Amino acid sequence: MTANESLEKLKQAIIQGDSQKAILLVKESNEMGIQVKEILNRAILKGAEEAGKLYEEGEYFLPDLLMTGDAINAATEILKSSFDLKSEIETKGTILIGTVEGDIHDLGKSLVVSLLKGQGFDVVDLGSDVPPEEFLRNAKEINPKLIGLSGLMTMSISKMIETVNLLKSENIQSRIIVGGGILSKESCEMIGADDFAKDGWEGIKKINKLI
Amino acid sequence: MGKDWAASVNRIFRTISGSKRVDKVPFLAFAGEQMICRVTGKTVKELYSSPKVYTNAIISTFEFLNTDSINVPSAYAGPTEALAFAEANNKLDAIKWFDYKPLMCKQGVICKTEEDIDKLEIPDHSKNNLWKNSLLTAKMINEKIKFPQVISLSIWSVVQELRGIDAYKDMRRNPDLLLKLCEKIYQSQMDIYENWLEIVGMPPNVFIAGYSFNRHMMSFQDSMRYEGQFIKRMMNKIKVPFMLHNCGTSPYFTEVVKEIDFIAVNGSHPLDIEYWIDFKKKHPKIAIIGANIDVSREMLWGSPSDVEKKVKENILNLAPGGRYICCPVCSLPWGVSIPNILAIPKAIEKYGNYPIKMN
């Protein structure tokens, strides 16, 4: 098998969300001496991009994207253990993310976390039901490029406002994106965030634009 | 003079059944625990502690909001059902209580592993205090204001509570395991129904919270597999008309009504009125409860006159011919202004008396 064929197979495994196959193919690519950057850009990230395209076209649904996310994470974990990844590729930056206090929904957030990690971001996931003070403490500690606040319920909007107000009052300079199906341009303005996303995939695209 | 609940009962149920003997467009709202706490000043635990306290608080809240509908918010297969599963399976650490809003279940904790699903005990709802008090409250409302209470059931809402995000991965990696969980939840829903029959009596309708029927969550084929087929089984057992609630942002209303016989659909999305006009044209016998009034938009950020405009738009386009109920979707949040809520019945009074005056 040539390097191109190996990368193509890995890309397909990512698109299909086949973690086991992706792990084997990363190992194989490694043995063939393919550069880490090539594996990441031509197979893993390209696979993520194509899965996202299938989602936008209505061919793929959330379960498929989540499986792709798992495959990306599995593949990059192997890459990390096989190579000194950080020396070869610079991180795109750190992102702090969490579902706001009083809300325990994390579907969209989990998808975002999984795909962002695969795209080379360092992601600090605070989980769900996160108080504003917890966002602030972590923001001060890690100085993220971007902070993502997630929430499913309408009542989460007031907690997003509270969190953003606290972050801004403490002079946190990170970009802020809010995510959730309840959000609109009006609510985003009211919250004081830089942008909003209605679902996980839109979140990925907007985060990449914001950073 | 007290509220004329008999008139509201007629308005709501006649509209759903398509009767022409309706005086005006009904107003249906979901006033959850948050709103009841806000109006009455009571905590959630106070409400849940006694069916009598809960009944009075619910009635006074819905009367204050001037709705034509009334329901017991906790008698719903969402958080209350998660609590029942948590209790039955000794996993109460998954439950988080709040003072002024409904309890929450940390998603995916109760059925974290395959073994959890295999060993999952189906709750006995007659032994769960919250379910028991909620059903007794429904019964007291029936008795006190003669408003027949509608039972609310769900499959996917409970799947999400119990299995969390893994449920979506199971669809691809272990569908049989997911179906096993759905089956247990179905059995549990039927136990709720049996208890409802015993305590409250025969419901006039079943209100299905069909959250799986959403494009951003799964394919329509998957929603039929993991929820639709179980709703069909419920329909075979419970011989009353079913209504479909879906407060998601990309619902499969058009697709699902071709597969399952619902008498009404309830949702706010798509927010485009043209979609709902078209839906009414194509499905004249299915009542629309809601259309494009969303609690996180005009209701939350607008003024009473913005709400009035929205209600007017809905009434003029959807009420002629009947089978339209004005309803902001979904549960009224804590922060929504009371004048905005009251703008709905005011606008109905202005534009919604039958026959509808188009100019």
Side-chain angles (χ1 to χ4, degrees):
Chain A
M1 190 159 53
T2 65
N4 279 347
E5 284 168 347
S6 177
L7 291 175
E8 178 59 26
K9 278 191 175 178
L10 176 56
K11 187 181 84 179
Q12 291 305 325
I14 297 290
I15 296 170
Q16 286 155 15
D18 189 337
S19 296
Q20 292 310 316
K21 207 169 173 182
I23 289 170
L24 288 175
L25 288 161
V26 167
K27 285 179 180 166
E28 207 173 278
S29 304
N30 180 15
E31 281 161 16
M32 289 170 78
I34 303 173
Q35 284 191 345
V36 178
K37 268 186 188 173
E38 292 280 291
I39 298 173
L40 260 178
N41 293 333
R42 287 180 55 197
I44 298 177
L45 294 183
K46 194 77 186 155
E49 202 182 298
E50 288 194 18
K53 208 172 151 207
L54 288 168
Y55 176 75
E56 284 173 349
E57 288 167 354
E59 290 288 318
Y60 263 26
F61 294 88
L62 183 66
D64 308 295
L65 278 190
L66 287 168
M67 295 306 285
T68 288
D70 277 2
I72 290 171
N73 284 325
T76 45
E77 279 308 310
I78 294 295
L79 269 186
K80 278 179 192 168
S81 60
S82 308
F83 302 93
D84 183 6
L85 196 60
K86 287 206 168 168
S87 69
E88 295 217 23
I89 292 172
E90 277 182 28
T91 170
K92 284 183 168 177
T94 304
I95 292 175
L96 180 65
I97 198 164
T99 304
V100 295
E101 189 174 26
D103 196 334
I104 37 70
H105 298 90
D106 65 356
L107 201 57
K109 176 183 69 65
S110 301
L111 175 68
V112 169
V113 170
S114 163
L115 292 178
L116 284 175
K117 280 183 181 171
Q119 291 186 350
F121 288 100
D122 285 331
V123 185
V124 178
D125 181 7
L126 300 178
S128 53
D129 191 16
V130 182
E133 298 74 21
E134 187 73 5
F135 276 106
L136 177 66
R137 194 179 58 76
N138 280 277
K140 281 182 172 174
E141 206 173 293
I142 61 178
N143 189 24
K145 269 194 176 175
L146 180 137
I147 300 171
L149 310 178
S150 170
L152 178 82
M153 298 177 302
T154 309
M155 65 180 92
S156 298
I157 293 177
S158 54
K159 200 49 84 173
M160 288 176 176
I161 294 175
E162 195 184 325
T163 308
V164 171
N165 283 345
L166 180 68
L167 292 168
K168 289 191 172 173
S169 70
E170 294 283 328
N171 208 24
I172 299 295
Q173 300 293 320
S174 317
R175 309 301 301 272
I176 298 174
I177 187 167
V178 285
I182 41 145
L183 296 165
S184 59
K185 193 169 166 277
E186 292 81 12
S187 51
C188 177
E189 279 168 14
M190 195 68 79
I191 292 164
D194 295 299
D195 210 342
F196 75 103
K198 292 179 77 67
D199 64 39
W201 182 249
E202 191 183 20
I204 292 288
K205 292 202 298 187
K206 288 195 168 176
I207 286 170
N208 274 292
K209 270 189 193 166
L210 277 173
I211 291 184
Chain B
M1 204 176 96
K3 183 174 171 61
D4 184 357
W5 278 110
S8 290
V9 169
N10 283 335
R11 214 168 276 139
I12 289 268
F13 291 101
R14 283 179 182 168
T15 299
I16 290 171
S17 67
S19 163
K20 297 289 172 200
R21 291 170 53 230
V22 181
D23 57 349
K24 63 178 173 181
V25 170
F27 170 34
L28 187 149
F30 301 105
E33 287 89 338
Q34 277 200 329
M35 189 54 71
I36 299 169
C37 291
R38 183 175 164 191
V39 171
T40 64
K42 294 187 186 306
T43 63
V44 162
K45 284 199 173 173
E46 276 179 279
L47 296 177
Y48 290 167
S49 65
S50 140
K52 196 177 166 190
V53 170
Y54 201 11
T55 300
N56 290 335
I58 291 170
I59 292 174
S60 56
T61 301
F62 282 83
E63 286 188 351
F64 174 72
L65 299 175
N66 201 9
T67 63
D68 286 310
S69 63
I70 187 164
N71 66 290
V72 183
S74 56
Y76 147 66
T80 313
E81 183 65 337
L83 174 70
F85 269 103
E87 267 187 20
N89 293 277
N90 296 317
K91 293 198 175 171
L92 280 167
D93 55 341
I95 302 297
K96 185 170 177 184
W97 287 88
F98 299 92
D99 287 340
Y100 296 104
K101 60 180 180 181
L103 65 95
M104 278 187 182
C105 174
K106 290 174 197 158
Q107 294 190 339
V109 172
I110 296 174
C111 288
K112 200 171 174 55
T113 65
E114 282 191 36
E115 198 189 355
D116 290 337
I117 295 176
D118 283 336
K119 292 184 176 170
L120 188 71
E121 290 288 333
I122 297 164
D124 174 352
H125 295 85
S126 67
K127 289 182 181 156
N128 179 275
N129 277 338
L130 181 51
W131 268 112
K132 216 161 51 187
N133 279 357
S134 298
L135 298 191
L136 284 169
T137 303
K139 182 189 178 200
M140 286 176 88
I141 291 173
N142 277 1
E143 287 168 355
K144 208 164 175 179
I145 59 167
K146 308 276 181 272
F147 199 114
Q149 289 296 287
V150 169
I151 185 172
S152 180
L153 302 173
S154 179
I155 297 291
W156 195 255
S157 165
V158 189
V159 169
Q160 286 203 152
E161 301 274 19
L162 304 189
R163 184 71 170 147
I165 198 165
D166 277 328
Y168 293 85
K169 296 179 185 174
D170 291 338
M171 279 182 201
R172 298 292 178 264
R173 66 188 177 193
N174 200 346
D176 289 341
L177 180 75
L178 186 54
L179 283 170
K180 189 187 279 182
L181 176 60
C182 293
E183 178 62 35
K184 288 194 175 190
I185 292 168
Y186 168 78
Q187 298 298 339
S188 179
Q189 298 299 288
M190 295 313 291
D191 187 63
I192 295 174
Y193 172 65
E194 294 300 328
N195 277 273
W196 187 284
L197 273 185
E198 202 178 310
I199 297 173
V200 192
M202 192 69 181
N205 300 106
V206 174
F207 192 75
I208 291 286
Y211 297 127
S212 71
F213 297 107
N214 254 303
R215 191 167 288 109
H216 69 263
M217 287 159 76
M218 62 185 84
S219 68
F220 181 62
Q221 198 183 14
D222 280 333
S223 64
M224 283 303 294
R225 187 172 191 201
Y226 298 107
E227 185 152 65
Q229 63 157 321
F230 295 96
I231 295 171
K232 285 184 173 179
R233 280 170 63 190
M234 285 176 188
M235 283 177 158
N236 284 333
K237 298 240 176 190
I238 310 173
K239 303 285 185 190
V240 298
F242 276 48
M243 302 187 275
L244 176 67
H245 164 82
N246 188 327
C247 56
T249 53
S250 48
Y252 288 123
F253 284 131
T254 312
E255 294 85 345
V256 73
V257 297
K258 287 178 191 159
E259 298 285 333
I260 305 177
D261 194 14
F262 289 109
I263 56 153
V265 292
N266 170 229
S268 61
H269 283 74
L271 294 169
D272 180 5
I273 190 73
E274 294 301 327
Y275 169 87
W276 293 101
I277 294 169
D278 188 52
F279 185 93
K280 191 178 174 77
K281 252 186 227 160
K282 286 182 180 151
H283 308 285
K285 296 207 165 161
I286 299 176
I288 294 171
I289 306 172
N292 65 350
I293 308 173
D294 190 281
V295 292
S296 62
R297 291 177 184 261
E298 293 81 8
M299 294 294 295
L300 195 61
W301 307 112
S303 64
S305 74
D306 294 325
V307 175
E308 182 187 319
K309 270 185 220 159
K310 205 75 188 167
V311 173
K312 182 183 174 187
E313 181 192 53
N314 275 263
I315 288 175
L316 296 187
N317 285 294
L318 303 171
R323 286 198 169 101
Y324 171 66
I325 294 177
C326 194
C327 169
V329 181
C330 187
S331 201
L332 294 167
W334 182 272
V336 70
S337 87
I338 298 292
N340 280 4
I341 302 172
L342 296 179
I344 297 177
K346 280 182 191 162
I348 289 175
E349 208 51 65
K350 213 163 155 184
Y351 308 104
N353 283 293
Y354 283 107
I356 305 295
K357 293 178 188 66
M358 297 307 286
N359 52 2

